[in-house]
Every structure is written in C-alpha cells, then in structure tokens.
Amino acid sequence: MTDLILYHNPRCSKSRGALELLEARGLSPMLVRYLETPLTAAEIEALLGKLGIGARQLLRRGEDEYTALGLADEGLGEAQLIEAMASHPKLIERPILVVGDKAVIGRPPEKILELLA
C-alpha cells in the first residue's frame, strides 16, 4: 500500500480515533503534528487538491481565530483563507489521511477507511 500520512492532533479525540482505526488494521501512518510543525500555504494548497475541496471546507469554524480573523466573510478568497490556516494551524480541520494522491478528512474517524478500500 502507498505510504499513509495522517495529519494529526493528539489532543483531538477524532484524530486519536482515526489513528486507532489505522493501527487496529496493522497500519503505521507517518504522523504530521501540524500544530507543532505548521504547514506552508503551498502544502495546504496541495492538500486541498488531494482532498478535492476548497479552502473554506477545511476551516474549523468553531475556533476563536475564525471569528477574530473575520473568516466568515464570504468575500475572502482562497489565498486569504489558505494564508490564515498557514498562520493559524488550529484552523485546519482534523484528522486528515493522505494515501497517494487522495486524501479525506476523518470526520467521523471511520471516514478514513474510504481510502483504504
């Protein structure tokens, strides 16, 4: 199987659940702790391409930064939203599993199994 990459926050129950699902299947993904090592705007853009979604769909709307930065403004473009996530990685939805050129957001965690079929 292609290498597995899990964008992971160990403090998040959904992220821990996704990792447990993988490990229960004998899989050991490379863990990217994106809060400790933030993604660049280019890395987020590439991830969005693998997810097949726009930047707004990757945003965590419940975070304080979302409100403080005015990210609900529909006039903001992709580049502005991506830059906000690069500067404030807490805004990135999690967990995200990448398998080759495909990715999925693990909400709920079982959603990651779609890429393993």
Side-chain angles (χ1 to χ4, degrees):
M1 174 173 271
T2 306
D3 290 338
L4 304 175
I5 301 169
L6 185 68
Y7 290 86
H8 180 61
N9 175 357
R11 295 185 65 199
C12 171
S13 63
K14 303 282 191 250
S15 198
R16 289 191 311 268
L19 180 57
E20 288 169 9
L21 283 170
L22 293 170
E23 290 175 339
R25 285 160 177 75
L27 302 171
S28 299
M30 180 179 91
L31 296 180
V32 176
R33 295 185 178 187
Y34 66 93
L35 293 178
E36 297 170 16
T37 308
L39 302 173
T40 65
E43 288 170 327
I44 294 170
E45 196 169 339
L47 191 54
L48 288 168
K50 290 178 181 186
L51 287 163
I53 62 173
R56 189 161 296 282
Q57 294 170 279
L58 189 59
L59 281 171
R60 291 179 55 85
R61 292 173 179 82
E63 298 296 336
D64 292 339
E65 290 89 344
Y66 182 83
T67 303
L69 297 170
L71 298 177
D73 179 354
E74 293 292 330
L76 295 175
E78 288 285 299
Q80 291 166 300
L81 297 175
I82 290 169
E83 194 53 50
M85 287 185 274
S87 299
H88 304 274
K90 195 174 180 183
L91 289 166
I92 299 172
E93 192 59 84
R94 62 188 178 252
I96 301 168
L97 179 66
V98 177
V99 180
D101 63 352
K102 302 262 188 231
V104 67
I105 298 171
R107 295 193 85 72
E110 293 78 15
K111 193 148 173 65
I112 65 165
L113 301 177
E114 293 174 5
L115 290 185
L116 302 179

